[in-house]
Amino acid sequence: MPSTQFKYVGKPLPRLDAVDKVTGKAVYIADLDIPGAWVAGVLRSPVPAGRLKGIARDPGFDWSRVTVATAADIPGVNAVHMIRDDWIALVDEKITYNSQALALVAAPDEATLAALKPDIEAVEPALTIEDSLAVKSQVWGDDNVMDDFRVNLGDIEKGFAEADVIVEYTYRTPLQEHIYLENCGMAAWPTPDGVEVAGSLQCPHYVHNALVMALDIPTENITVKQTVTGGAFGGKEDYPSVMAVWTGLLAKLSGHPVKLLYDRAEDMLVTPKRHPSKVIHKLGFKKDGTITAAEVDLYLDGGACTSMSKVVLARAILHCTGAYKVPNAKLRARAMATNTPPNGAFRGFGAPQAIYAIERQMDFAARELGMDPYAIRIKNVLRRGDAFPFG
């Protein structure tokens, strides 16, 4: 029986967007009919690391029929504004990941999207966390460490000295694709004083701020509209800003509305994923299963630039010891830059990578101590008045 105690809980509430979606009336960005819209395409790097020496144009092609945009055409800052302004909108010289955008083309239809040929000097890339730590390629800063967080509590040496059993393993998690049902897409219209964009996105204000900085347009002259969004899960938190800068730039340069839609293959190739991780995890236990100490060294593969890595890493280190009381802790978390596409937000936001490691540690500890996996967890779980290692 429906509860009479609550206004919403236990009540059969209608989902307001359901009818339009199941009947096909919902208008997604791919459904949006834009008269006179040109089609956008992206010239991408075929190598993960290198130097762009130039972009050749076919002399036999009528270039007046299309609009080409390179880094030199960006009127503002050549970056997509996010937590940091290190996501380059279009490569000027240094290539830092495979599929990175070198140039943009807008044309009346797909048949007239001109082929451009980049001249690239490739260099050895850093494709893994280990490559990055060894600075096999200098991707970000001097040491490829985009962010480094540390938490220390108590006396870690004393904590391990008190332990009867020490459990130490290294855990890894791979890239994970959001696989939202609707691929990424964005459209832009030039206006007399600015630009209007619409697309599949999560954070309209992020997109707005990115357009202000890259296109050097006053904030009041930019309009951002969110179309019906067919899934995101974090995957459309950062990347729509990239596509908005591209389509907005092409719309202003061409004088036409511009639409950029990905198919599934391109979407999976170029958009951010859940961060791969490496977690070196060491836990000390007394014979009765009580945790005495935790030492964790956690790495996230951020890809070639920050995107959302800084805040994802912060969430990861906060979850290194899970829901358990740890009296002595030494925790460190680093986001490493690699020559791979940037990684970003994904449901859980860094917590799944950290929680996976601590929960496997608890299982191994239970096995080592001959305890029930549930019992060892209940023994150590945080209770009212307890504190996390970070306070």
Side-chain angles (χ1 to χ4, degrees):
M1 293 289 291
S3 171
T4 57
Q5 185 180 358
F6 301 107
K7 185 174 181 180
Y8 298 113
V9 175
K11 303 294 194 301
L13 300 174
R15 177 169 171 168
L16 300 180
D17 61 343
V19 174
D20 283 354
K21 288 181 176 178
V22 299
T23 59
K25 291 182 180 178
V27 179
Y28 297 87
I29 185 62
D31 302 321
L32 200 60
D33 184 23
I34 307 174
W38 279 22
V39 179
V42 185
L43 176 68
R44 301 185 181 279
S45 171
V47 303
R51 184 170 71 89
L52 179 64
K53 299 168 69 176
I55 300 175
R57 303 190 186 193
D58 183 353
F61 183 80
D62 182 3
W63 291 97
S64 66
R65 299 168 58 198
V66 302
T67 294
V68 177
T70 64
D73 296 302
I74 296 174
V77 179
N78 182 16
V80 182
H81 178 64
M82 294 185 195
I83 292 169
R84 290 195 181 105
D85 299 332
D86 61 343
W87 189 319
I88 302 302
L90 293 171
V91 169
D92 183 17
E93 182 178 7
K94 186 179 180 181
I95 295 168
T96 54
Y97 62 94
N98 186 290
S99 81
Q100 191 170 14
L102 309 178
L104 309 170
V105 182
D109 51 56
E110 290 187 6
T112 53
L113 276 176
L116 300 167
K117 186 175 182 181
D119 181 10
I120 295 172
E121 179 185 335
V123 299
E124 186 177 19
L127 300 177
T128 65
I129 289 170
E130 287 77 13
D131 287 350
S132 180
L133 283 165
V135 195
K136 193 173 181 180
S137 169
Q138 191 174 333
V139 188
W140 202 96
D142 296 326
D143 57 3
N144 292 332
V145 179
M146 293 191 288
D147 286 288
D148 187 344
F149 298 143
R150 305 181 194 214
V151 171
N152 294 290
L153 173 69
D155 186 333
I156 191 69
E157 293 184 3
K158 178 174 176 289
F160 281 118
E162 293 174 349
D164 296 306
V165 169
I166 294 176
V167 178
E168 185 172 10
Y169 287 98
T170 297
Y171 301 90
R172 296 178 185 270
T173 62
L175 287 166
Q176 185 181 356
E177 164 64 30
H178 303 81
I179 209 73
Y180 32 69
L181 289 177
E182 181 204 20
N183 302 330
C184 286
M186 190 69 62
W189 295 259
T191 63
D193 300 318
V195 68
E196 177 179 323
V197 301
S200 183
L201 52 95
Q202 291 180 257
C203 307
H205 291 286
Y206 289 7
V207 174
H208 189 274
N209 293 337
L211 288 166
V212 169
M213 191 182 82
L215 301 189
D216 194 24
I217 297 174
T219 181
E220 64 272 16
N221 295 340
I222 294 173
T223 301
V224 179
K225 295 181 179 179
Q226 181 177 3
T227 55
V228 177
T229 298
F233 320 113
K236 294 172 183 174
E237 184 169 337
D238 48 9
Y239 202 75
S241 296
V242 179
M243 298 182 77
V245 167
W246 291 344
T247 53
L249 176 62
L250 287 171
K252 294 299 288 183
L253 292 175
S254 69
H256 296 276
V258 172
K259 199 172 187 180
L260 177 60
L261 299 174
Y262 286 164
D263 60 17
R264 181 62 67 185
E266 187 171 20
D267 195 296
M268 292 185 71
L269 177 69
V270 305
T271 59
K273 309 286 183 280
R274 190 191 296 281
H275 292 72
S277 71
K278 177 182 179 181
V279 186
I280 303 168
H281 212 296
K282 181 180 178 182
L283 282 180
F285 293 85
K286 291 182 179 179
K287 289 179 180 178
D288 66 356
T290 302
I291 295 174
T292 63
E295 184 172 2
V296 181
D297 206 0
L298 181 147
Y299 300 91
L300 295 182
D301 182 343
C305 61
T306 303
S307 179
M308 298 290 136
S309 292
K310 187 181 182 73
V311 283
V312 172
L313 186 73
R315 182 68 60 86
I317 195 171
L318 298 183
H319 286 78
C320 274
T321 54
Y324 306 111
K325 184 177 180 179
V326 177
N328 305 286
K330 182 180 180 182
L331 315 176
R332 186 178 185 183
R334 281 170 276 185
M336 304 302 302
T338 59
N339 290 118
T340 61
N343 294 309
F346 198 126
R347 286 286 173 90
F349 225 64
Q353 293 94 319
I355 293 171
Y356 165 68
I358 179 66
E359 291 300 332
R360 294 303 293 142
Q361 286 285 85
M362 297 302 283
D363 286 336
F364 285 126
R367 183 185 304 173
E368 183 79 14
L369 292 165
M371 295 181 66
D372 181 271
Y374 175 76
I376 197 172
R377 286 173 165 85
I378 291 300
K379 187 172 190 65
N380 290 287
V381 74
L382 288 160
R383 290 172 171 79
R384 186 181 299 276
D386 291 340
F388 289 95
F390 49 84

